[in-house]
Amino acid sequence: MNTEKGNIIRYQDGDKILKHIRRPLINTVLIANDLKKHTLQIPPESYNSRLELHFSEIKKLKIGKNCSLTVDLRDNPYIGELVVEEGFSGSINLARSSIRKIKIGANCRCDLTLEDCLNCFVFKAGDVFSGRLKIKNSCFHSLNIGYYCYADIKMENIRGRKRLSVGASFRGTISVTGLSIPLFKIGHDCRGRIVLSGQNDKGRTGRLNILDDFAGTLDLSSEGQAEKIEVGSFASGNFNLPGCRGLKFLKFEDAFSGIADLSGSDIEYIRAGSGCRGKIVVLNCPRLTLLELPLNKQSDITAERNPLRVEIRRNSLHYRFHERELPRGYFTPFYMVLFRKLRCRLRRI
């Protein structure tokens, strides 16, 4: 059935609609509930159009370059893969779908919804990704976002089997509630805001790895949990970690100049490399065992108790608060310290 209303044309049902998408879709509403096709390809330069594909038997949807579309795939039990080429702008809804693989090209501004998805999926967004990404009650195998992302990313009650990775120069916001994932990696020169909250013993970040030049905000103050946090050189951001249960150690590479508040946390080991001049607050941290600082200490340490003793080891000051020994896995091998310093210097050449 073809009807025309103003400049909007509706194509509804059947394979006959395929002839209408050989050319770019312009001012078109495409309703294709009975379409059966393994791969549906939307031509490049399609704009101001809407695709409603709730029950279309499509295994793969591919959207060409520089399209401006609204794509509705809610409740679609057939869709397995979505490929969006560069320059896309618009919105895509994959709530309650069977999606397994999502690939978003570079320079895309996309509002993407992934709620109550039926399968674990792989998600990859290219460089300069913006818009809004909402993931809720779902599972991913891996989730990777490229360089210079300034999107608003919200995740609630999700589980990751591998890792969540955000590329260099992140400028957006990541707000996560109830995250369970082994590794969360944030690239160089992050100036965005990362908030982890509402986690418990069954849902936590195993390791949070932040690379060099972090100047954003990491906030775990609302019941956020991470067992291990490692931060690269020249970090100057804010680390709001008060009451962070399950946090075992925090490491800063050289030249940390930010603020880290660990009051009331379960922290056991803190290390800061040479040139540290930041502020570290460890009030009411009963499990704190060892604080390692450079010999030329310029940092500001706030604590309510004195260490049992202070030792000099390998050009650093060791403030010992408990006699118990820490696991060997807490300590970075010396060759790795040298490697990271060399990598940082090469990166700045």
Side-chain angles (χ1 to χ4, degrees), residues 88-240:
F88 176 85
S89 65
S91 64
I92 302 173
N93 195 329
L94 286 158
R96 301 175 300 279
S97 73
S98 60
I99 195 71
R100 291 181 180 272
K101 184 177 181 181
I102 305 161
K103 184 177 181 181
I104 309 294
N107 297 296
C108 288
R109 182 174 182 82
C110 180
D111 293 344
L112 180 59
T113 301
L114 293 154
E115 294 186 0
D116 301 298
C117 291
L118 304 179
N119 298 310
C120 275
F121 55 82
V122 174
F123 179 93
K124 183 176 182 180
D127 297 339
V128 199
F129 174 68
S130 63
R132 289 186 292 270
L133 172 61
K134 183 178 181 181
I135 306 176
K136 183 177 180 181
N137 299 330
S138 299
C139 166
F140 62 85
H141 287 292
S142 63
L143 196 153
N144 297 281
I145 296 172
Y147 166 84
Y148 203 75
C149 166
Y150 51 102
D152 180 10
I153 301 171
K154 293 185 178 180
M155 305 181 186
E156 183 177 351
N157 297 327
I158 61 172
R159 299 186 66 85
R161 299 194 176 187
K162 292 183 180 178
R163 72 177 188 179
L164 168 58
S165 177
V166 178
S169 301
F170 178 71
R171 296 294 187 270
T173 301
I174 299 177
S175 178
V176 180
T177 302
L179 174 70
S180 178
I181 190 173
L183 175 61
F184 187 174
K185 186 175 182 179
I186 300 171
H188 301 282
D189 187 35
C190 171
R191 298 174 186 271
R193 179 177 175 84
I194 296 96
V195 181
L196 306 183
S197 62
Q199 297 175 283
N200 52 48
D201 292 338
K202 295 182 180 180
R204 67 172 60 180
T205 301
R207 183 160 64 98
L208 180 58
N209 187 6
I210 302 174
L211 299 185
D212 300 341
D213 299 296
F214 179 82
T217 297
L218 174 66
D219 190 344
L220 279 70
S221 60
S222 298
E223 298 183 357
Q225 290 197 30
E227 185 175 348
K228 304 173 183 179
I229 300 177
E230 298 175 276
V231 185
S233 301
F234 298 96
S236 60
N238 294 319
F239 297 81
N240 300 324

